[in-house]
Amino acid sequence: MTDFTSVGVIGGGAWGTALAQSCARGGLAVTIQAREPEVVESINARHENEAFLPGVKLDPGVRAVAELDDLAGADFILAVPPAQHMRSVLTAFASMVREGTPIVLCSKGVERGTLKLMTEVLAEAVPQARPAVLSGPSFAADVVRGLPTAVTLACPDCDLGERLVQAVAAPTFRPYLADDLIGAEVGGAIKNVLAIACGISEGRGLGKSAHAGLITRGFAEMTRIGVALGGQAETVAGLCGLGDLVLTCSSPQSRNMSVGLALGQGLTLYQALEGKRSVAEGVDSAPAVRQLVEQLGVEAPICEAVAAILAGEIDVDQAIDGLLNRPLKTER
């Protein structure tokens, strides 16, 4: 059993709302903070997030607020702002966080400029918090509708991790416990970049063989990066790495893959992103990932090619030719 009875969710987008709904199903008192007034009004008045998850009725126990300080009394926090805004949001929230409050990071990415993972951002912005990471193959639309989902919840404190797993588990939401924060984070961050690559391949009509090759060789890149940062290969091979990679690279429902699909069909990045309210984290993470692999001395040609396409340095066909003409090597 867990002694956690309430949770605060930072971020009223699709993923934050889906997690709030799942936690409510599991019996927690849920307060979700959204920066958009229309989202707060929609959830409280009509029990629906019409902006990000239209057509799905939310549990009446999900309460929305506009201010971060309304989350201060929660037993633990799910932090779900876009990765590139994580630092500013956590910094604004820091003074309201009690010593030892668990903050579970649910956004995936590498911070531009600092090249830091979200747990490093948390340690700097809210040092009094106890960190955890939730990551895995999970579309918000599936979770909010109560479809079966399995994820990784990583926490270095095993006792706290067990309590958090019990707290966020719901009838159709199954978290598996791990202790490797870095491995859990790397999988979630890198798969977004690789999903853009798979979308480009689909948009260009390169076939399922190419698609499978990108996923597999992309997984090799993900593993190399994770291990170089101090993570465990076994963690990256789990739900938060391989599992999330397979899902995100296999459906246009993935925001990152949909961006790649548009690029592969000849649209510009501006056109690919135009009109989208939800964030495709891989677009912002790709340049940071490229800098990170250069710093680490890790070979990651697919991630580097995606970053170069997004930066306008090469076009899609040049990227494809560059990958196909790399020297032949052993598989590892």
Side-chain angles (χ1 to χ4, degrees), residues 45-274:
R46 293 176 293 283
H47 307 301
E48 181 179 351
N49 188 335
E50 294 164 336
F52 293 101
L53 284 171
V56 179
K57 285 300 177 184
L58 302 177
D59 189 290
V62 176
R63 180 175 71 99
V65 297
E67 302 299 330
L68 284 167
D69 56 11
D70 288 322
L71 305 183
D75 291 335
F76 69 100
I77 299 295
L78 300 181
V80 205
Q84 303 308 320
H85 297 285
M86 183 68 79
R87 184 181 295 275
S88 61
V89 171
L90 290 178
T91 299
F93 188 51
S95 64
M96 309 163 207
V97 178
R98 303 183 307 275
E99 184 71 35
T101 298
I103 294 185
V104 184
L105 300 162
C106 307
S107 301
K108 304 163 183 178
V110 177
E111 187 178 44
R112 297 184 69 164
T114 68
L115 309 185
K116 292 184 176 179
L117 298 172
M118 296 299 102
T119 50
E120 296 175 286
V121 173
L122 174 64
E124 293 176 357
V126 195
Q128 72 271 32
R130 302 171 73 185
V133 169
L134 188 148
S135 185
S138 47
F139 284 145
D142 292 343
V143 172
V144 79
R145 288 178 170 84
L147 299 178
T149 304
V151 297
T152 297
L153 194 151
C155 183
D157 181 329
C158 290
D159 289 338
L160 174 60
E162 289 282 3
R163 292 163 63 204
L164 288 170
V165 162
Q166 292 295 327
V168 303
T172 57
F173 191 77
R174 185 176 178 83
Y176 285 79
L177 183 60
D179 61 5
D180 178 15
L181 290 175
I182 294 174
E185 284 194 275
V186 167
I190 305 303
K191 62 93 182 181
N192 286 327
V193 180
L194 296 170
I196 295 174
C198 284
I200 290 171
S201 175
E202 287 290 300
R204 251 321 183 257
L206 300 185
K208 295 303 181 183
S209 300
H211 189 105
L214 280 172
I215 291 177
T216 308
R217 295 310 302 159
F219 177 63
E221 294 186 16
M222 178 190 290
T223 304
R224 286 195 291 268
I225 296 167
V227 171
L229 285 169
Q232 301 168 14
E234 294 83 358
T235 308
V236 181
L239 289 163
C240 56
L242 180 59
D244 212 357
L245 178 67
V246 170
L247 179 70
T248 311
C249 291
S250 300
S251 171
Q253 189 175 338
S254 156
R255 291 165 294 187
N256 294 284
M257 187 175 176
S258 69
V259 168
L261 190 66
L263 294 174
Q265 291 170 341
L267 274 65
T268 65
L269 180 59
Y270 175 82
Q271 291 170 327
L273 295 174
E274 191 175 16

